[in-house]
């Protein structure tokens, strides 16, 4: 920060923009270069409500630099800005502001501890987030944000009972949008999809701002998408864009809808625009895999190169996501690295997500017998996840358990036949091969 206005052009965008220019010179990114959305400059030029909050807080701190709660508020705002913008440089600014809050008020500063826990969650240091959240709970037992950070940390650490308990406490002390959205996710992870949708509808009914409406509509759309309901997902994404026309998450949802409806060129155009506006690793990976599925291998490789650069930038800002990195390595030609990353992630946290990543990494290394227990663990809560079912099916196929493999692949395709542009067709092809006895 700290206390100084920053450029509206994130450093990550500058670095990635340079990489994309290299790709364009090489002739690999023609679609991206020709499809810049006219809406994007408008979105970038209008300060968001969060940016205005940050500016006001910075101004207040210039007048009163000894205000510990304001430093904590600024730190928490930077964490949120990093999430929205995809710019990990905000993490350092958040840490500086939160450390300053603690320096001003070292004892009983629950707000700074909550902010540091949010920052730790954002950096995927979930054990630290849990510990900071528990310290904050002792100081602020009736603050909903305490239970929000605890629920997020415990979920990612694999302690689903503690996560559910934290959400229940959050609903008790602060039954608003943040609590209902976490309740929805917790219910989805336990296979209670109808109740998850009801909880998200409650969140939507609590939404007060266009950004909140967009947030809830996106996750209602995700619940529909994850259940294979393309039309239902499309309705929610479209409704969200009415409230917030430049929301990038909703734009990502619509890009996937275009692909599912067979409008591949529209989907590629949408992802080209999306990854230019906000180059989050998730979007870069999805864009690359969409290009690969369309037979545009050179352009796909260019996106994977940009993704690798983005992951390095996140790592340099203190954020590591070896779980996703392991899946990327497993799916794109580096099985040894996939296993190293997945094993390290499992050693740090034993969640359903890290169990699935380790199972898949073991599979691509030809170790299906070791992979199967982790694949089964990934679905132990009852979560209906098409990718996890596909991974389990391919592992079972590797073990020559033909009937079980077909059942698992059927499950994946029944949950969501459009779950992945590369894996969904592979699930169909593998199932056909298994049925033929080949």
């Amino acid at each position: 920060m700290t206390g100084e206005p920053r450029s509206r052009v994130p450093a990550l965008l500058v670095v990635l923009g340079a990489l994309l220019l290299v790709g364009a010179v090489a002739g690999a990114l023609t679609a991206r270069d020709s499809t810049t959305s006219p809406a994007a400059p408008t979105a970038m030029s209008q300060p968001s409500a969060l940016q205005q909050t940050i500016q006001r807080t910075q101004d207040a701190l210039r007048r009163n630099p000894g205000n510990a709660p304001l430093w904590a508020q600024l730190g928490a705002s930077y964490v949120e800005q990093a999430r929205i913008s995809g710019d990990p440089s905000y993490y350092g600014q958040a840490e500086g502001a939160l450390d300053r809050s603690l320096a001003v008020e070292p004892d009983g500063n629950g707000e700074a501890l909550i902010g540091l826990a949010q920052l730790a969650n954002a950096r995927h240091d979930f054990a630290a987030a849990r510990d900071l959240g528990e310290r904050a709970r002792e100081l602020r037992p009736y603050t909903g944000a305490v239970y929000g950070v605890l629920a997020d940390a415990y979920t990612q650490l694999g302690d689903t009972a503690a996560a559910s308990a934290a959400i229940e406490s959050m609903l008790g002390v602060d039954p608003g949008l943040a609590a209902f959205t976490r309740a929805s996710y917790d219910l989805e992870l336990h296979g209670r999809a109808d109740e998850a949708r009801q909880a998200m509808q409650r969140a939507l009914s609590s939404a007060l701002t266009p950004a909140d409406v967009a947030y809830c509509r996106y996750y209602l759309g995700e619940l529909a998408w994850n259940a294979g309901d393309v039309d239902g997902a499309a309705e929610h994404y479209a409704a969200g864009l009415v409230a917030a026309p430049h929301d990038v998450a909703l734009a990502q949802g619509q890009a996937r809808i275009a692909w599912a409806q067979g409008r591949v060129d529209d989907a590629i155009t949408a992802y080209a625009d999306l990854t230019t506006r906000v180059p989050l690793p998730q979007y870069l990976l999805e864009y690359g895999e969409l290009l690969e599925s369309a037979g545009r291998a050179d352009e796909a490789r260019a996106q994977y190169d940009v993704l690798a650069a983005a992951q390095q930038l996140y790592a340099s800002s203190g954020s590591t996501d070896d779980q996703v990195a392991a899946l990327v390595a497993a799916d794109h030609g580096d099985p040894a690295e996939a296993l190293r990353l997945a094993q390290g992630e499992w050693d740090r946290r034993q969640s359903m997500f890290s169990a699935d990543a380790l199972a898949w990494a073991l599979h691509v290394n030809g170790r299906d017998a070791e992979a199967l227990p982790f694949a089964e663990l990934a679905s132990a809560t009852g979560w209906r996840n098409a990718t996890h079912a596909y991974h389990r099916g391919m592992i079972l196929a590797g073990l020559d358990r033909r009937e079980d493999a077909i059942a698992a692949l059927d499950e994946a395709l029944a949950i969501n036949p459009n779950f992945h542009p590369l894996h969904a067709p592979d699930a169909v092809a593998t199932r056909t091969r298994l049925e033929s006895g080949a």
Side-chain angles (χ1 to χ4, degrees):
M1 140 150 175
T2 58
E4 295 295 324
R6 69 187 312 284
S7 167
R8 289 178 186 158
V9 181
L12 180 61
L13 288 175
V14 173
V15 174
L16 292 179
L19 289 168
L20 292 171
L21 179 59
V22 171
V25 170
L29 294 173
T30 305
R32 173 187 292 268
D33 294 338
S34 62
T35 57
T36 301
S37 166
T42 303
M44 294 298 291
S45 65
Q46 298 297 323
S48 67
L50 179 59
Q51 287 171 324
Q52 293 175 32
T53 297
I54 289 173
Q55 185 63 59
R56 285 196 298 271
T57 309
Q58 289 174 338
D59 292 343
L61 284 167
R62 289 191 185 94
R63 296 189 297 271
N64 183 13
N67 189 320
L70 273 182
W71 282 110
Q73 177 184 325
L74 182 61
S77 295
Y78 280 142
V79 175
E80 180 65 4
Q81 185 69 348
R83 183 188 69 80
I84 293 172
S85 67
D87 179 0
S89 71
Y90 281 107
Y91 292 150
Q93 293 178 284
E95 186 172 11
L98 292 163
D99 286 348
R100 182 70 177 272
S101 178
L102 278 178
V104 173
E105 187 179 316
D107 299 321
N109 191 342
E111 288 71 26
L113 292 175
I114 293 169
L116 286 167
Q118 292 169 334
L119 176 60
N121 272 332
R123 285 173 157 168
H124 290 212
D125 187 353
F126 301 112
R130 175 200 57 202
D131 295 344
L132 288 161
E134 290 294 358
R135 287 172 58 193
R137 185 193 334 227
E138 294 178 6
L139 297 170
R140 302 288 186 273
Y142 301 108
T143 299
V146 167
Y147 298 103
V149 296
L150 284 173
D152 295 345
Y154 279 123
T155 297
Q156 295 297 329
L157 289 168
D159 191 341
T160 55
S164 298
I167 293 165
E168 185 174 347
S169 296
M170 191 176 188
L171 288 166
V173 301
D174 188 9
L177 184 146
F180 289 126
T181 55
R182 286 181 171 84
S184 174
Y185 187 47
D186 190 59
L187 289 162
E188 182 186 12
L189 295 182
H190 287 83
R192 297 162 64 179
D194 289 342
E195 293 164 274
R197 281 188 285 273
Q198 293 168 13
M200 190 55 69
Q201 288 286 357
R202 290 286 302 275
L204 178 61
S205 68
S206 304
L208 299 176
T209 68
D212 288 345
V213 171
Y215 182 85
C216 293
R217 286 292 186 183
Y218 173 72
Y219 282 104
L220 282 165
E222 288 296 280
L223 285 166
W225 172 266
N226 291 337
D229 180 3
V230 174
D231 292 342
E235 289 178 10
H236 284 298
Y237 298 145
L241 285 168
V242 171
H246 304 297
D247 187 279
V248 292
L250 291 162
Q252 176 245 12
Q254 286 208 319
R256 286 188 307 182
I257 294 295
W259 169 73
Q261 292 176 338
R263 297 183 287 112
V264 176
D265 288 344
D266 289 346
I268 289 174
T269 297
Y271 266 107
D273 176 51
L274 178 66
T275 52
T276 300
R277 293 165 60 190
V278 182
L280 285 171
Q282 174 194 347
Y283 299 162
L284 293 165
L285 176 61
E286 291 175 356
Y287 184 32
E289 290 175 334
L290 179 60
L291 288 166
E292 186 174 343
S293 71
R296 296 162 67 166
D298 290 344
E299 293 169 83
R301 275 193 293 274
Q303 291 308 310
Y304 299 146
D305 289 343
V306 178
L307 170 62
Q311 288 175 316
Q312 290 173 2
L313 286 173
Y314 272 85
S316 68
S317 298
S319 176
T320 58
D321 190 351
D322 286 348
Q323 172 193 302
V324 171
L327 292 171
V328 172
D331 286 337
H332 301 287
D334 195 345
E337 179 67 359
L339 186 54
R340 185 189 71 80
L341 293 168
Q343 185 65 62
E345 192 69 10
W346 176 256
D347 291 343
R348 285 188 290 277
R349 55 185 177 120
Q350 291 76 51
S351 70
M352 64 189 80
F353 317 106
S354 50
D356 172 71
L358 182 53
W360 194 235
L362 286 164
H363 166 73
V364 299
N365 280 274
R367 295 164 59 175
D368 287 311
E370 296 170 74
L372 185 57
F374 291 103
E376 292 174 340
L377 186 60
S379 60
T381 62
W383 187 20
R384 286 175 54 77
N385 182 296
T387 295
H388 290 190
Y390 163 73
H391 287 169
R392 191 170 68 257
M394 298 302 288
I395 290 166
L396 288 163
L399 292 170
D400 291 328
R401 290 174 54 177
R402 191 174 69 90
E403 295 301 326
D404 292 335
I406 290 173
L409 295 172
D410 280 349
E411 179 185 347
L413 294 167
I415 293 171
N416 182 5
N418 302 301
F419 70 91
H420 193 282
L422 297 171
H423 294 167
D426 188 46
V428 173
T430 302
R431 189 193 182 287
T432 301
R433 176 177 60 78
L434 291 170
E435 276 207 320
S436 72

